[in-house]
Amino acid sequence: MNQAADKGILLLLCIFFLFFAANPARTVTAFLLAASAAALSICLDKRSGKRNLTAVSALFCFFLPELLYFLPVLLYDCFRKRFYEGALLLLPFLYHMVSGSLLLPAFPWVLLYPAVLLLSWYLSVRTDKLAFLKQEYIRLRDSSMERNLALKQKNKDLMEKQDYEIYLATLKERNRIAREIHDHVGHMLSRCILQIGALSTVHREDPLHGELKQVNETLNSAMTNIRESVHDLYDDSIDLKQAVTEAVCPLRDRYAVTIDFDMSSAVPSNIKYCIISTVKEAVSNILKHSNADRVLLIFREHPGFYQFAVEDNGARLPSPSADLRDYGGIGLCNMRDRVEALNGVFQISTERGFRISFSIPRN
């Protein structure tokens, strides 16, 4: 818009010189050509196009001297883009001045011509500077927004990492409490149960035998409750993502391992054990039998089921058979049995490398 406004102002000022032209028809033609060149230069984005337009305008000026009245308009892009093809416009100007075919107003109006030329230079420099400042503003705004987004993402990642570390610390503490209860309270209750059993054997007469029997039943009930609580604490203390990451550590020295994990922490313990066991068995099979160099593990949690897949890019094996032992041993049969015990679906694919996948419905 700045270019159009500048060239419009210059065109209006240059019209003043047309009153000194001898041929009105040639004057109108010169005005139309100058206006067309000004509009076309705005549409041209490439520097080479503007330079070619300047050269063509210089050629037209040899045959139409009235076009030189609009020299400030024609030189506008030369001032702004700083290319030297504008000097070509001086050749027809000098030629027509020497030949006398170009009429200029008398003094002092003739001073208006260099003044308009100077105004063209000023407007071009100002527009160029405004365009540069606008681009710089957009660049700074975009970089600022990009830094803000990156900072927000970094803060989000730090918060998620902090929450995950707190979650892991909580699981570790649960595991420690479960071990403490098992190692101390559980052993003490077991010793008490054995002692009460020995006393019941020695003292068979009532009422002492009956009292000892009740104490033994109470201790056994307490032992059962503690055992269940310890198992629940231990099951809750297992972090599936960390367990999977540790299980695939043997692969990292020989394969490029990628883990795509998208599951929440609220996965039932029986499904956790099934996935961990399957991952360990798959890692063992890859180390023993696969000639791949890349391994991908996918963990997905959907509204209705859990999904797991492990695949590598090894050489294609024989076509699928009904007997999973054809693929390398009893391990795959154990995987299938674990999945089917949870009402899941177990599949093997050998189209692109080797792929094991299964899905287990959510309760």
Side-chain angles (χ1 to χ4, degrees), residues 291-303:
N291 59 352
D293 57 8
R294 294 193 305 273
V295 179
L296 172 63
L297 294 96
I298 302 173
F299 303 85
R300 290 282 187 270
E301 180 176 354
H302 300 281

Side-chain angles (χ1 to χ4, degrees), residues 96-350:
H96 290 297
M97 286 293 294
V98 172
S99 63
S101 57
L102 180 64
L103 300 178
L104 291 176
F107 186 85
W109 298 107
V110 70
L111 298 178
L112 184 61
Y113 195 79
V116 176
L117 283 173
L118 185 62
L119 178 63
S120 174
W121 171 82
Y122 170 76
L123 290 177
S124 65
V125 172
R126 187 203 63 170
T127 300
D128 197 28
K129 186 175 181 180
L130 288 176
F132 172 76
L133 291 176
K134 183 178 180 180
Q135 292 179 356
E136 189 68 13
Y137 166 75
I138 294 174
R139 185 186 66 81
L140 291 175
R141 183 193 62 186
D142 293 343
S143 60
S144 177
M145 292 178 61
E146 184 178 356
R147 284 194 296 268
N148 289 335
L149 292 175
L151 184 60
K152 289 180 180 179
Q153 184 63 37
K154 187 175 181 179
N155 290 335
K156 182 181 178 181
D157 293 340
L158 288 175
M159 293 297 294
E160 291 178 353
K161 183 179 179 181
Q162 183 180 8
D163 294 340
Y164 184 67
E165 289 177 352
I166 293 174
Y167 172 70
L168 288 181
T170 304
L171 296 183
K172 188 178 294 184
E173 183 63 18
R174 288 181 180 178
N175 196 5
R176 186 192 67 80
I177 293 173
R179 287 198 307 268
E180 291 290 333
I181 295 175
H182 178 271
D183 295 340
H184 296 287
V185 180
H187 290 171
M188 292 174 64
L189 284 175
S190 297
R191 187 169 56 189
C192 289
I193 291 172
L194 291 175
Q195 291 175 350
I196 292 297
L199 291 174
S200 298
T201 303
V202 174
H203 302 281
R204 293 184 176 277
E205 66 277 4
D206 290 328
L208 182 58
H209 181 77
E211 296 294 335
L212 291 175
K213 185 177 180 181
Q214 291 180 2
V215 172
N216 188 40
E217 292 175 354
T218 303
L219 290 174
N220 279 315
S221 178
M223 187 65 182
T224 301
N225 292 333
I226 288 177
R227 186 180 294 110
E228 292 175 354
S229 299
V230 168
H231 287 170
D232 291 340
L233 281 174
Y234 181 76
D235 292 341
D236 293 338
S237 66
I238 296 175
D239 180 64
L240 182 58
K241 185 177 181 180
Q242 185 181 23
V244 168
T245 303
E246 293 175 355
V248 300
C249 283
L251 296 176
R252 297 190 182 277
D253 294 335
R254 296 169 49 185
Y255 306 92
V257 180
T258 303
I259 299 177
D260 186 358
F261 191 92
D262 185 17
M263 299 181 73
S264 65
S265 58
V267 180
S269 58
N270 56 347
I271 298 178
K272 283 184 182 180
Y273 288 130
C274 178
I275 293 176
I276 294 172
S277 300
T278 304
V279 170
K280 290 181 179 180
E281 186 64 37
V283 168
S284 177
N285 287 342
I286 291 173
L287 291 173
K288 292 178 182 178
H289 307 292
S290 178
N291 59 352
D293 57 8
R294 294 193 305 273
V295 179
L296 172 63
L297 294 96
I298 302 173
F299 303 85
R300 290 282 187 270
E301 180 176 354
H302 300 281
F305 60 93
Y306 298 98
Q307 187 180 26
F308 165 75
V310 56
E311 60 184 45
D312 60 55
N313 62 337
R316 181 174 178 178
L317 296 177
S319 59
S321 173
D323 189 359
L324 296 180
R325 293 179 179 83
D326 292 345
Y327 293 100
I330 199 66
L332 294 176
C333 295
N334 293 335
M335 290 185 192
R336 181 191 60 186
D337 294 339
R338 292 192 191 99
V339 173
E340 291 180 352
L342 298 173
N343 298 321
V345 178
F346 185 84
Q347 293 179 334
I348 289 179
S349 174
T350 59

